[in-house]
């Protein structure tokens, strides 16, 4: 079978390897689609995602959909369409018993955070634990289901903010996660405004149901106007904008990841408005909600803009890095 390996910064190649065999409690999937995430871009262009350095060849990819190839238990027939929860949870800790995505010692598909690295989904066949597999409903195509993981991230973040029905919600940053945040908030009944510095992402946000957009390279965001802000850019200046834009007593949820080093942020509005500022990291059960929402709303698939073969990885990563040109970029295997 073929799989894509990132060997170091700007070096990725397809390798032929043997088809793996599932062990006890596992099953083998035939992967059909793999989304390119921001972490995959960091691994390819920089050879590291923050503190997680590529120390051995890494198969990227934690957003995937495909079909069951072999389930030794016989529970799922070959050909069953599925997506995957990419986390293997770690050791429970007091106080976070109901948040296994925060437990230490876990792993995530396509990540250099563990040693050996946790190999990802950019591979024709993939072995996963049976409890990671989510069977797709009949009305959810395999292609659209590749969005389940990023949509689950957005739904988890939105859940931190509480009920947003009928409320003004600002999404800062309209990249792939921002687009999923727009879709999630619209589905929850919010009136959504999306920001970005490029026209392409803003057009895609409108297509997903945003009521308004703001090009923050030329326009200012109205202060004290939004009950909830989902900060999806991971840019410090956007955090300052979010704290300014949220209304007194409102909520800002930090969804976009930031570098692990000090960055300047204006915290004065956070204090004076008694803002609730929350972090959102990955997700727990929300992938099941994401599967249901994707089945109910075919329009979310418009976030998928480009497909590439594994052999065209260099072009695929370049396209995914160009947010003016692309929304969600996927490998089609």
């Amino acid at each position: 079978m073929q799989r894509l390996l990132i060997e170091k910064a700007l070096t990725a190649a397809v390798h032929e390897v043997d088809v793996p065999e599932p062990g006890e409690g596992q099953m083998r999937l035939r992967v059909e689609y793999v989304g390119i995430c921001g972490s995959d871009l960091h691994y390819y262009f920089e050879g590291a995602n923050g503190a997680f350095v590529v120390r051995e060849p890494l198969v990227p990819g934690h957003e995937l959909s495909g079909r069951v190839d072999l389930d030794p238990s016989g529970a799922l027939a070959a050909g069953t369409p599925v997506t995957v929860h990419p986390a293997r949870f770690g050791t429970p800790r007091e106080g976070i018993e109901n948040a296994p995505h925060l437990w230490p010692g876990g792993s995530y598909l396509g990540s250099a955070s563990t040693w050996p690295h946790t190999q990802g989904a950019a591979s024709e066949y993939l072995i996963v634990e049976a409890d990671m597999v989510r069977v797709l409903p009949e009305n959810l195509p395999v292609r659209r289901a590749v969005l389940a993981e990023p949509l689950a991230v957005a739904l988890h973040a939105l859940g931190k903010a509480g009920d947003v029905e009928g409320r003004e919600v600002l999404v800062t940053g309209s990249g792939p996660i921002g687009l999923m945040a727009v879709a999630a908030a619209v589905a929850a009944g919010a009136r959504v405004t999306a920001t970005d510095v490029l026209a392409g992402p803003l057009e895609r946000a409108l297509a997903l149901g945003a009521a308004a957009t703001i090009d923050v390279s030329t326009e200012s965001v109205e202060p004290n106007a939004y009950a909830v802000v989902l900060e999806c850019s991971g840019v410090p200046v956007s955090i300052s904008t979010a704290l300014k834009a949220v209304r007194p007593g409102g909520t800002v949820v930090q969804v976009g990841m930031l570098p692990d080093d000090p960055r300047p942020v204006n915290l004065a509005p956070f204090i004076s408005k008694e803002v609730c500022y929350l972090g959102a990291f990955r997700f727990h059960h929300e992938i099941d909600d994401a599967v249901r929402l994707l089945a109910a709303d075919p329009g979310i698939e418009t976030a998928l803009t480009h497909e590439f073969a594994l052999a065209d990885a260099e072009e695929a990563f370049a396209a995914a890095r160009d947010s003016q040109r692309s929304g969600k970029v996927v490998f089609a295997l």
Side-chain angles (χ1 to χ4, degrees):
M1 70 170 189
Q2 291 189 329
R3 66 177 183 173
L4 179 67
L5 287 167
I6 296 174
E7 298 166 2
K8 59 181 180 179
L10 300 175
T11 304
V14 175
H15 292 251
E16 286 281 350
V17 297
D18 293 337
V19 175
E21 294 297 327
E24 184 176 354
Q26 297 180 324
M27 63 180 69
R28 186 171 67 211
L29 308 181
R30 175 62 174 89
V31 179
E32 294 188 16
Y33 296 96
V34 180
I36 297 177
C37 178
S39 61
D40 302 317
L41 294 179
H42 285 299
Y43 285 131
Y44 176 71
F45 285 103
E46 302 158 25
N49 180 31
F52 307 139
V53 179
V54 175
R55 294 183 286 159
E56 66 174 343
L58 174 69
V59 180
H62 54 259
E63 307 170 3
L64 72 140
S65 58
R67 300 178 190 274
V68 173
D69 183 67
L70 174 62
D71 179 4
S73 75
L76 296 180
T80 300
V82 298
T83 186
V84 169
H85 193 311
R88 296 178 176 96
F89 298 127
T91 304
R93 285 291 186 269
E94 184 178 356
I96 54 171
E97 295 88 349
N98 295 322
H101 59 294
L102 300 180
W103 295 348
S107 64
Y108 217 69
L109 292 178
S111 175
S113 64
T114 56
W115 182 258
H117 296 338
T118 304
Q119 302 300 341
S123 175
E124 288 184 287
Y125 294 92
L126 178 68
I127 301 294
V128 295
E129 277 64 49
D131 62 3
M132 298 167 70
V133 173
R134 302 293 190 272
V135 175
L136 304 185
E138 290 184 2
N139 58 335
L140 178 55
V142 172
R143 182 179 187 268
R144 193 188 313 154
V146 75
L147 293 169
E149 195 275 351
L151 182 56
V153 170
L155 289 168
H156 178 69
L158 190 66
K160 292 282 186 181
D163 185 8
V164 297
E165 185 174 4
R167 306 177 84 186
E168 295 284 340
V169 172
L170 180 69
V171 175
T172 56
S174 298
I177 290 296
L179 293 176
M180 293 299 98
V182 169
V186 168
R191 184 184 187 280
V192 179
T193 299
T195 77
D196 207 275
V197 296
L198 296 170
L202 295 177
E203 291 169 3
R204 287 185 280 274
L206 288 172
L208 285 169
T213 60
I214 301 172
D215 181 343
V216 290
S217 68
T218 60
E219 305 172 71
S220 297
V221 178
E222 183 180 354
N224 306 322
Y226 300 93
V228 172
V229 181
L230 303 177
E231 203 303 290
C232 298
S233 71
V235 178
V237 68
S238 288
I239 299 174
S240 296
T241 297
L243 293 171
K244 181 179 179 181
V246 72
R247 73 185 188 190
T251 300
V252 175
V253 183
Q254 185 61 43
V255 192
M257 293 295 290
L258 289 140
D260 188 16
D261 56 30
R263 297 293 171 102
V265 174
N266 179 14
L267 291 178
F270 166 71
I271 300 165
S272 63
K273 293 191 287 187
E274 295 191 358
V275 174
C276 181
Y277 185 38
L278 301 169
F281 181 67
R282 295 177 180 167
F283 55 89
H284 177 204
H285 56 77
E286 290 86 355
I287 196 163
D288 301 307
D289 302 323
V291 166
R292 288 189 286 270
L293 180 52
L294 286 167
D297 187 354
I300 299 177
E301 192 169 350
T302 62
L304 294 173
T305 59
H306 293 74
E307 295 181 16
F308 292 91
L310 288 182
D312 298 322
E314 181 178 351
E315 185 179 356
F317 288 129
R321 197 185 199 187
D322 183 355
S323 58
Q324 169 62 19
R325 173 187 174 195
S326 68
K328 174 57 67 177
V329 177
V330 299
F331 290 113
L333 286 73

